Amino acid sequence: MSESAPVPVGLSTASVWPLRAGAAFELAADLGYDGVEVMVWADPISQDVSAIRRWSRRTGMPVLSIHSPSLLITQRIWSPDPEVRLRRSVDAALELGARTVVVHPPFRWQRRYGDAFGDLVDELEDASGVDVAVENMFKVRPPGGSRDARVSAFRPSIDPTDVGFRHYTLDLSHSAAARMDALALADRMGAGLSHVHLADGTGIPKDEHLIPGHGGQPCAELLEKLVSDGFSGQVVLEVNTRHATGAASRARALAEALLFARLHLGQ
């Protein structure tokens, strides 16, 4: 990018699982990332704003974004009420100086939350100035279903552009699992695309979160498109290193992911 500032490249704390969030801050600093996205989940550190702030100051890594506890396994973290969880995520972002909160669309059974979701997102953005970036999801194969059978757990769909929001997160592992054209999705998101979860996938109905370049997604093409379009958001590596054989193996994988991102962002 010749005139605008380089796109920040962050590391998600989910990328070091099963290690805790502190390890992500340390690795991000050691490898030269620009900051960290905190996935709020079972890790006690991820739920504790004061603890996150200490890790940020200790490593010099800013918190770029907060991933609201939207997963099935995080439905009782902070509160069983999804509205409360999203509000707390925005509060955490404000306290930590993060510009973005990533959130999944409502589950189909969250009727009250789903009915009010669009208005809630608008209200939180207006009041806080934080981007609440709604993420694209994917259908899954039902138990006992055929190889090509897919069902969605989200309302109204896995594609947030079907509703329309001010800000979006584009996740390339999710687009792979959904067999969705990521570049076309980016076009539909348009100027609302403010956050990218950079990862890869092979197209199986599973959230693989491979290192970019290890699957079939147009990771390089998307990053180059972001540059040509004057993208002013953030790119976060949300990759799976749980099979790493040790600290050196995990560090190599995350260094490769960062190098891929910087190369195709022209950095």
Side-chain angles (χ1 to χ4, degrees), residues 1 6-7 9 172 198 200 211-214 217-229 231 235 237 256-267:
M1 302 176 69
V7 175
V9 180
L172 286 129
L198 182 60
D200 214 332
I211 300 295
H214 289 230
Q217 286 298 284
C219 297
E221 294 90 336
L222 177 69
L223 294 177
E224 291 160 8
K225 172 180 169 58
L226 295 180
V227 175
S228 66
D229 290 349
F231 179 71
V235 170
L237 273 299
E256 178 187 341
L258 176 61
L259 179 60
F260 184 100
R262 293 216 187 281
L263 174 65
H264 294 288
L265 288 168
Q267 300 175 6

Side-chain angles (χ1 to χ4, degrees), residues 18-19 56 67 87 108 165 181 242-243:
L19 303 181
S56 178
H67 194 310
R87 289 186 181 279
R108 289 166 59 184
F165 296 95
D181 184 331
R242 68 177 181 271
H243 298 303

Side-chain angles (χ1 to χ4, degrees), residues 13-263:
T13 59
S15 297
V16 304
W17 188 86
L19 303 181
R20 292 190 174 183
F25 279 91
E26 291 178 329
L27 274 166
D30 290 345
L31 296 173
Y33 281 81
D34 296 315
V36 169
E37 174 172 299
V38 176
M39 167 74 84
V40 181
W41 57 2
D43 175 6
I45 294 173
S46 73
Q47 303 171 32
D48 185 337
V49 170
S50 296
I52 295 167
R53 184 184 294 110
R54 288 193 294 271
W55 275 107
S56 178
R57 289 174 175 170
R58 184 181 306 172
T59 59
M61 285 287 98
V63 178
L64 301 179
S65 45
I66 300 290
H67 194 310
S68 180
S70 308
L71 305 173
L72 274 174
I73 61 172
T74 61
Q75 293 299 291
R76 301 196 70 82
I77 287 174
W78 281 347
S79 170
D81 185 333
E83 178 179 337
V84 173
R85 293 197 300 271
L86 182 53
R87 289 186 181 279
R88 286 194 61 171
S89 299
V90 172
D91 289 343
L94 285 171
E95 290 187 55
L96 294 164
R99 61 171 281 184
T100 303
V101 166
V102 177
V103 64
H104 294 176
F107 288 115
R108 289 166 59 184
W109 54 85
Q110 294 174 322
R111 294 184 180 179
R112 182 176 63 84
Y113 175 61
D115 289 342
F117 183 68
D119 290 338
L120 173 63
V121 168
D122 287 345
E123 174 206 325
L124 291 171
E125 289 193 321
D126 288 340
S128 68
V130 171
D131 293 351
V132 180
V134 185
E135 188 169 12
N136 61 296
M137 301 305 294
F138 57 97
K139 296 180 180 180
V140 296
R141 185 188 302 172
S146 68
R147 184 179 182 276
D148 293 322
R150 301 287 190 278
V151 296
S152 171
F154 301 96
R155 57 177 300 189
S157 78
I158 60 173
D159 183 350
T161 68
D162 287 345
V163 176
F165 296 95
R166 294 181 198 169
H167 299 100
Y168 300 99
T169 296
L170 197 165
D171 186 303
L172 286 129
S173 178
H174 293 179
S175 62
R179 299 180 181 177
M180 186 180 291
D181 184 331
L183 297 177
L185 177 59
D187 285 338
R188 291 197 299 278
M189 291 178 171
L193 174 55
S194 62
H195 201 73
V196 172
H197 278 167
L198 182 60
D200 214 332
T202 62
I204 63 174
K206 179 181 178 183
D207 199 6
E208 297 175 280
H209 283 286
L210 303 178
I211 300 295
H214 289 230
Q217 286 298 284
C219 297
E221 294 90 336
L222 177 69
L223 294 177
E224 291 160 8
K225 172 180 169 58
L226 295 180
V227 175
S228 66
D229 290 349
F231 179 71
S232 59
Q234 304 161 319
V235 170
V236 168
L237 273 299
E238 191 182 67
V239 296
N240 180 357
T241 65
R242 68 177 181 271
H243 298 303
T245 55
S249 173
R250 177 175 283 106
R252 282 195 299 271
L254 296 178
E256 178 187 341
L258 176 61
L259 179 60
F260 184 100
R262 293 216 187 281
L263 174 65

